[in-house]
Amino acid sequence: MAALKRVSACFCFLRRSASVLFNRNPAVQKLGKWTNLLNISAVSLAVGAGLCAVPFTQVENLSHDSLVRRAASLVTNSSSTFLSQTTLALIDAFTAYAKAVHTLIALQRRYLASLGKLTSAEEDSIWQVIIGQRAEVSDRQDECKRFESTWESAVRLCEMAAEASYTSGAEQASITVRTNIQVAQSQVEEVRKLLVDANKKLAETKVMEIQRMAEYASSLEKNKDDEDIPEAYLRED
């Protein structure tokens, strides 16, 4: 009611002001066709002011427990996002490392299979490629370590967020973030098997390389000794 009274008073004031203005000013009297427009504008202004004075909704008073639960839910959402991003980065890093290792293995085995059959220029060219691939493997390995450290921090953060959510009463948020932790750990462990397999094959290739190089050196030494034997000792008596 008070708002409606203010609307009525405002409208009356604007109407009287418009009447005085048009009655006292002859020049303005000629613009009578604009009088209705002014009155309409006054009504619109007054009604708008009245509507602004009437509250449409009433904000609910939130308790401290409710605010804490909402804040805990926001923390779990943010930590889950951090975990998902670091998990994706770590999986990509593991995959890239395994691919680089398998490429290195293929190059080394190709070189060992061609040992003794290559020219000096061809051997140097292959070794340059192998050296470059070894550097690539080293870089990928450093990247895996860096992302794995960040991922482990994300897991710890999610665990703390889950505990905080549980103690604050946001049980559902706690359950959700713990589920996300389990899924992330499962995905990482599955991809980690690629690294174990790649490193195992790389170690096998290293042993093969040592054996093959020893055999090749032995054959070169034997050929050299045969060349040093006098021709007379090679002829039959």
Side-chain angles (χ1 to χ4, degrees):
M1 293 299 295
L4 292 177
K5 290 180 179 179
R6 286 196 296 272
V7 171
S8 178
C10 183
F11 174 72
C12 292
F13 172 76
L14 291 173
R15 186 172 59 183
R16 287 196 300 269
S17 299
S19 176
V20 172
L21 176 64
F22 276 86
N23 290 334
R24 291 185 177 181
N25 194 339
V28 176
Q29 288 179 355
K30 296 181 181 179
L31 300 177
K33 62 181 180 179
W34 297 104
T35 304
N36 293 332
L37 180 60
L38 180 59
N39 289 334
I40 292 173
S41 300
V43 172
S44 300
L45 179 61
V47 172
L51 292 176
C52 293
V54 179
F56 287 98
T57 59
Q58 186 173 4
V59 179
E60 180 184 359
N61 292 326
L62 298 177
S63 64
H64 288 299
D65 288 337
S66 178
L67 292 174
V68 169
R69 285 194 298 269
R70 292 189 178 190
S73 297
L74 291 175
V75 171
T76 55
N77 291 337
S78 299
S79 60
S80 294
T81 301
F82 181 40
L83 178 62
S84 65
Q85 292 298 324
T86 54
T87 300
L88 179 61
L90 183 59
I91 289 175
D92 287 345
F94 280 176
T95 304
Y97 172 77
K99 183 178 178 181
V101 170
H102 283 293
T103 302
L104 177 61
I105 291 173
L107 289 171
Q108 289 181 332
R109 290 186 176 183
R110 179 183 175 185
Y111 169 74
L112 294 176
S114 304
L115 197 62
K117 304 175 183 179
L118 302 173
T119 64
S120 178
E122 291 174 341
E123 188 172 350
D124 290 342
S125 177
I126 291 179
W127 265 111
Q128 290 297 324
V129 176
I130 291 176
I131 291 172
Q133 190 61 32
R134 285 177 177 175
E136 175 73 12
V137 169
S138 179
D139 292 340
R140 294 297 183 182
Q141 189 176 33
D142 292 340
E143 186 179 50
C144 288
K145 293 178 180 179
R146 178 167 56 86
F147 280 123
E148 188 170 16
S149 177
T150 306
W151 179 79
E152 290 173 351
S153 299
V155 171
R156 290 193 297 269
L157 180 62
C158 285
E159 290 174 345
M160 290 188 293
E163 183 64 24
S165 297
Y166 181 79
T167 56
S168 65
E171 290 86 358
Q172 187 58 45
S174 177
I175 294 173
T176 299
V177 73
R178 290 188 186 279
T179 301
N180 293 338
I181 293 174
Q182 293 176 355
V183 172
Q185 290 175 335
S186 176
Q187 291 175 340
V188 170
E189 288 303 318
E190 188 67 25
V191 180
R192 197 188 298 274
K193 295 177 183 178
L194 298 177
L195 269 72
V196 175
D197 181 67
N199 288 331
K200 181 180 178 180
K201 291 182 178 179
L202 183 61
E204 292 174 353
T205 303
K206 185 64 177 178
V207 173
M208 183 188 302
E209 180 182 359
I210 294 173
Q211 293 176 348
R212 185 70 182 88
M213 293 299 293
E215 293 173 357
Y216 181 66
S218 178
S219 64
L220 289 179
E221 188 68 23
K222 182 179 179 180
N223 292 334
K224 182 179 179 181
D225 292 339
D226 291 341
E227 292 176 356
D228 293 339
I229 297 177
E231 185 179 353
Y233 288 96
L234 296 177
R235 292 197 301 250
E236 295 181 0
D237 293 337

